[in-house]
Amino acid sequence: MNQQELKEAALKILDENYVGVLATINENKPHSRYMTFFNEEFTLYTATSKKTQKVDELEKNPHAHVLLGYEGDGVGDTFLEIEGEMSEHDDQQLLEELWNEHLSGWFSGPDDPNLLFIAIKPTRMRLMNKKGQEPQNIEL
């Protein structure tokens, strides 16, 4: 696959898969959890409360690793490995733009004082498990 095809495949995975694994660093050790992701091109966003451990971890170390796209069908499922840097975003315009009803189980709305979006800007992305192919780096 050429880089354009790899980018198109990656965007398809990002657009069609919402639940993935976010790994942060806690006391020099990886800490992973399932999160719901939204994207604008290759930048990922995930909602969280300002009072969570992942916010504390982000402030100490902004590096993250995300796995997104594995469908559970077995060997050969295509997914993304994403390394990136996290940042906090709570400006009202972004909160309103990214708000959706799936978040209503945790937050009262885009004006909830505890709502925060974490942005993950990729520094490295690889397309994994494409049937019969080696992992492929996507140039960002």
Side-chain angles (χ1 to χ4, degrees):
M1 291 181 126
N2 65 39
Q3 280 299 311
Q4 184 60 35
E5 291 170 327
L6 288 171
K7 288 178 181 178
E8 288 172 9
L11 285 172
K12 184 175 186 331
I13 291 170
L14 292 172
D15 291 341
E16 294 178 357
N17 295 272
Y18 301 104
V19 177
V21 177
L22 170 66
T24 55
I25 303 297
N26 182 31
E27 296 181 10
N28 251 0
K29 296 178 185 173
H31 182 200
S32 301
R33 77 278 279 160
Y34 286 104
M35 298 293 293
T36 302
F37 294 97
F38 313 96
N39 70 295
E40 289 181 354
E41 289 292 311
F42 293 107
T43 300
L44 298 175
Y45 293 93
T46 187
T48 193
S49 171
K50 293 178 180 179
K51 301 176 182 180
T52 63
Q53 184 176 1
K54 69 184 84 59
V55 173
D56 294 336
E57 293 167 359
L58 175 160
E59 291 172 352
K60 292 176 185 168
N61 186 331
H63 299 283
H65 190 266
V66 175
L67 298 175
L68 190 66
Y70 183 78
E71 297 176 9
D73 291 335
V75 175
D77 282 359
T78 304
F79 65 96
L80 293 173
E81 275 190 359
I82 302 166
E83 293 176 19
E85 294 209 10
M86 300 181 291
S87 57
E88 300 175 37
H89 298 273
D90 64 356
D91 59 278
Q92 195 61 40
Q93 181 179 346
L94 183 68
L95 296 178
E96 289 177 19
E97 181 183 326
L98 294 177
W99 175 261
N100 65 68
E101 289 306 312
H102 296 290
L103 301 173
S104 63
W106 295 275
F107 302 100
S108 60
D111 56 344
D112 189 310
N114 290 313
L115 176 60
L116 173 77
F117 277 95
I118 295 174
I120 303 164
K121 182 80 173 161
T123 55
R124 182 173 187 237
M125 185 179 295
R126 296 191 326 155
L127 185 66
M128 304 294 293
N129 271 3
K130 185 78 174 162
K131 293 180 182 166
Q133 296 182 10
E134 293 291 318
Q136 297 190 35
N137 290 317
I138 298 168
E139 295 172 8
L140 302 169

